Amino acid sequence: MLICALVSGLVPLTVIKGAGSEFIPLPAGQNATVADFHSIRTNTKDTPSYFTSGFYKIEAGPSRPAHYDFEETKYILQGQIDILDEATGITHHLVPGDFAFFHVGTKVQFSTKSSGFAFYAVTRPVKAAHPNLQGREEVTK
């Protein structure tokens, strides 16, 4: 089947198996981390860019500032992630099912009173390829 797809000009999808929160420990002395697990240089004709996806994990502790020079989306999967939007002064309390979009120029502070886990997609190359998520691409024959 794969050979037929390649011959016809179609490109097969990439599937990452078993990429869950249990595989993403926090670095020593830190209460938050990103875990990039897939990145490509896009083939978009109008404006080629990077497209990277991964997970964001945060535990109670100091707030984590972020100033965006790329676009990002976050979709909350577990817990709660609080985001202080410095442009408005509003703190958003995001829970599973909530979605946030960060524009270029957005400045925020992430925090939580317990823990939070989110999926993200960004328009930047990999910053920190997470070793526990490498090699989890599904093998097709």
Side-chain angles (χ1 to χ4, degrees):
M1 204 61 144
L2 179 62
I3 294 170
C4 293
L6 293 176
V7 171
S8 70
L10 298 177
V11 177
L13 65 103
T14 298
V15 174
I16 308 295
K17 302 292 282 183
S21 63
E22 65 275 17
F23 297 108
I24 305 169
L26 294 173
Q30 298 292 316
N31 71 316
T33 190
V34 298
D36 294 346
F37 65 85
H38 188 259
S39 185
I40 61 167
R41 178 88 165 123
T42 67
N43 291 320
T44 308
K45 292 181 172 94
D46 294 336
T47 55
S49 181
Y50 285 93
F51 181 72
T52 300
S53 54
F55 293 113
Y56 180 74
K57 184 175 185 177
I58 187 168
E59 301 287 338
S63 63
R64 311 297 294 189
H67 191 179
Y68 286 85
D69 58 1
F70 50 85
E71 292 87 7
E72 177 175 81
T73 61
K74 270 191 175 61
Y75 180 78
I76 310 307
L77 298 168
Q78 296 172 0
Q80 179 174 319
I81 299 177
D82 301 324
I83 306 172
L84 169 61
D85 181 349
E86 293 190 14
T88 64
I90 296 171
T91 298
H92 302 274
H93 306 285
L94 304 182
V95 296
D98 290 345
F99 174 88
F101 184 84
F102 304 86
H103 303 270
V104 170
T106 298
K107 191 172 183 183
V108 299
Q109 292 185 34
F110 293 99
S111 64
T112 186
K113 292 183 177 161
S114 55
S115 66
F117 188 66
F119 170 81
Y120 63 80
V122 297
T123 56
R124 61 156 174 77
V126 167
K127 280 186 179 177
H130 200 282
N132 290 357
L133 298 179
Q134 293 174 352
R136 293 188 173 273
E137 289 188 9
E138 183 176 60
V139 178
T140 57
K141 295 178 183 182

